Amino acid sequence: METALQLVAFNIPYPADYGGVIDIFYKIKALSECGVSIYLHCFEYNRPQAKELEKYCAKVFYYPRKSGVRYQLSIKPYIVVTRNNDQLISNLSSNSAPIIFEGLHTCFYLNHESLKEHIRLVRTHNIEHEYYLNLSKVEPNIFRKLFFRIEASKLKRYEKMLKNASQLLAISPNDNLYFDRKFGTSHFIPAFHPFSEITSKTGKGEYILFHGNLSVAENIQAVNYLVQHVFPEIKQKVIVAGKNPPVNLSKKLRSCPNVQLVPNPGSTQMQDLIANSHICLLPTFQDTGLKLKLLASLFSGRFCIANSPMISKTGLEHLCHLADTPNEMIDAINQLFQIEFTSEEIEKRRTILEDNFSNHRNALKILQIIQNSNAS
């Protein structure tokens, strides 16, 4: 009998070039390789329709995402109310296959009467109200700051919608603990990713790398912190690489003589930057979800220095060097540049990552959860 699954994505998950869509795309790919027929529903608003998705999906549906000030006046979160569509609920209800809703963003129809007989899973990408509250704290624009703060309040109230899910699929152990305490239906399914094996090189690299989407407030905050407290205190070469760096951030980086900015690297260039670095420096001030750049660094890079919010309760703590203060980061950098990355380090990563973070194994876990579920 055919195994079929419906998946509702908050965006078009190709190209897989940022955190949330990376998880969705490689989840689709892994499930397809397990023999699942996937009916993908995705919202279209800032990315083109993608022919590539048809390789892994039985059918792909596109729905326009709504926008405008009037949706900000809704009691529902903006990221939810702008993703309601009559054709979506019609298509979902006409197919009896289980449904995965990707993020709280897509849960407008989670408790819809016509889906009561469906198995309904929600992939939680973050504890969303905490994520948006943190965004509000680092956003310099007063109007966006207010939007994030209001959205965080709405998301906190709306989170109770998740009680209507048959099961929750949390992206990190920390999130899993939170959602399981609250709803009792959560399972830890690590982030899906493009890596099938450890490709880290032994030996030494010549620079420190910070990488991430540089248009995101979380990463801008991290780079500003490093520019202020760490980069001026070290002699090693630093490369900062990522998408769409704002002008003021680029200017700050140019003022650091040991720092090189690589804006908008292609995927191959980014892989080379990670592979040839000696240290991936990974501070964050958002402790929700799991940062896919951490997985990229561990699968492909050498040493990783991270702070507690990046690695706490991820299961990856033993693979990183913990540094929570500027002095701790500086000391770790100076110490690690004195030593080579060894095959023993690679073997340690292989033991943890190729087992717990195997896309194939985690796709099978999702199918087992579905098999064990009953529609509420």
Side-chain angles (χ1 to χ4, degrees):
M1 189 175 88
E2 177 193 55
T3 301
L5 182 62
Q6 302 191 80
L7 190 146
V8 186
F10 51 78
N11 204 340
I12 297 171
Y14 191 85
D17 57 2
Y18 73 89
V21 298
I22 291 172
D23 177 65
I24 296 172
F25 176 75
Y26 286 100
K27 187 187 303 120
I28 290 168
K29 188 171 183 288
L31 288 165
S32 173
E33 289 167 353
C34 290
V36 179
S37 295
I38 297 167
Y39 296 84
L40 174 63
H41 307 264
C42 43
F43 285 92
E44 180 180 1
Y45 57 104
N46 59 3
R47 294 153 68 89
Q49 296 185 6
K51 195 84 173 169
E52 180 74 10
L53 295 170
E54 296 174 15
K55 292 181 183 179
Y56 309 106
C57 301
K59 191 165 184 179
V60 182
F61 302 88
Y62 296 95
Y63 310 93
R65 184 185 172 190
K66 299 169 182 176
S67 63
V69 174
R70 67 187 176 115
Y71 295 106
Q72 295 181 21
L73 303 178
S74 170
I75 60 170
K76 289 187 173 69
Y78 183 82
I79 63 170
V80 176
V81 75
T82 54
R83 290 181 172 90
N84 82 80
N85 184 285
D86 291 344
Q87 192 58 53
L88 169 61
I89 187 59
S90 176
N91 289 337
L92 288 173
S93 59
S94 66
N95 185 329
S96 62
I99 305 166
I100 296 179
F101 294 89
E102 291 286 343
L104 197 57
H105 315 53
T106 65
C107 289
F108 189 91
Y109 295 115
L110 181 60
N111 66 338
H112 196 277
E113 187 64 32
S114 65
L115 302 182
K116 289 296 184 186
E117 301 305 315
H118 287 68
I119 294 172
R120 289 155 285 141
L121 284 71
V122 177
R123 167 54 140 187
T124 57
H125 287 258
N126 279 301
I127 301 170
E128 293 295 347
H129 64 273
E130 291 184 0
Y131 179 73
Y132 272 78
L133 185 60
N134 286 333
L135 286 179
S136 75
K137 292 175 182 176
V138 299
E139 175 58 53
N141 182 290
I142 187 65
F143 297 106
R144 287 177 59 80
K145 181 186 285 287
L146 182 61
F147 168 76
F148 287 142
R149 190 168 290 276
I150 293 170
E151 191 75 349
S153 178
K154 291 179 180 178
L155 285 162
K156 188 171 185 178
R157 291 195 303 270
Y158 193 75
E159 189 181 69
K160 62 180 181 292
M161 173 65 73
L162 296 177
K163 69 183 180 183
N164 297 289
S166 307
Q167 304 290 335
L168 303 176
L169 309 176
I171 204 166
S172 74
N174 196 38
D175 288 9
N176 185 53
L177 184 63
Y178 171 86
F179 286 115
D180 203 51
R181 281 176 174 171
K182 196 158 189 179
F183 300 104
T185 55
S186 189
H187 307 263
F188 170 45
I189 301 291
F192 289 79
H193 53 81
F195 314 105
S196 57
E197 60 181 356
I198 308 299
T199 59
S200 302
K201 300 176 181 179
T202 56
K204 297 181 75 172
E206 297 181 353
Y207 56 86
I208 300 158
L209 177 68
F210 177 95
H211 62 101
N213 185 341
L214 298 177
S215 66
V216 173
E218 172 190 352
N219 289 326
I220 294 171
Q221 181 189 21
V223 174
N224 282 330
Y225 177 87
L226 295 172
V227 167
Q228 184 176 356
H229 300 291
V230 178
F231 295 161
E233 306 301 324
I234 59 175
K235 296 178 180 178
Q236 293 85 357
K237 178 181 178 180
V238 177
I239 293 177
V240 176
K243 290 174 61 177
N244 303 325
V247 173
N248 61 342
L249 185 67
S250 302
K251 187 176 179 180
K252 283 183 184 178
L253 291 171
R254 283 197 298 271
S255 71
C256 301
N258 59 330
V259 179
Q260 175 188 350
L261 174 64
V262 180
N264 300 306
S267 59
T268 301
Q269 184 182 11
M270 181 61 87
Q271 288 167 14
D272 288 343
L273 287 170
I274 295 171
N276 294 318
S277 66
H278 190 64
I279 296 169
C280 286
L281 187 56
L282 301 165
T284 185
F285 299 95
Q286 285 267 24
D287 63 354
T288 59
L290 176 75
K291 314 303 184 214
L292 279 156
K293 65 181 177 181
L294 173 59
L295 284 182
S297 302
L298 290 171
F299 269 94
S300 307
R302 293 187 177 94
F303 295 109
C304 292
I305 298 175
N307 63 354
S308 295
M310 175 63 77
I311 59 173
S312 178
K313 298 178 183 176
T314 62
L316 302 172
E317 295 89 341
H318 300 302
L319 302 180
C320 299
H321 295 264
L322 176 64
D324 279 323
T325 68
N327 284 341
E328 288 174 351
M329 291 180 193
I330 293 163
D331 289 345
I333 288 167
N334 290 330
Q335 289 170 17
L336 292 174
F337 261 93
Q338 302 303 312
I339 61 176
E340 294 193 348
F341 190 75
T342 65
S343 57
E344 286 78 12
E345 293 282 350
I346 292 173
E347 195 56 41
K348 194 191 328 181
R349 291 183 182 185
R350 186 172 286 121
T351 300
I352 294 174
L353 292 170
E354 291 185 6
D355 183 11
N356 296 338
F357 289 82
S358 160
N359 285 349
H360 179 72
R361 286 171 63 99
N362 288 321
L364 292 177
K365 285 182 185 176
I366 291 175
L367 296 178
Q368 188 63 53
I369 289 167
I370 291 171
Q371 186 176 329
N372 294 340
S373 296
N374 293 310
S376 57

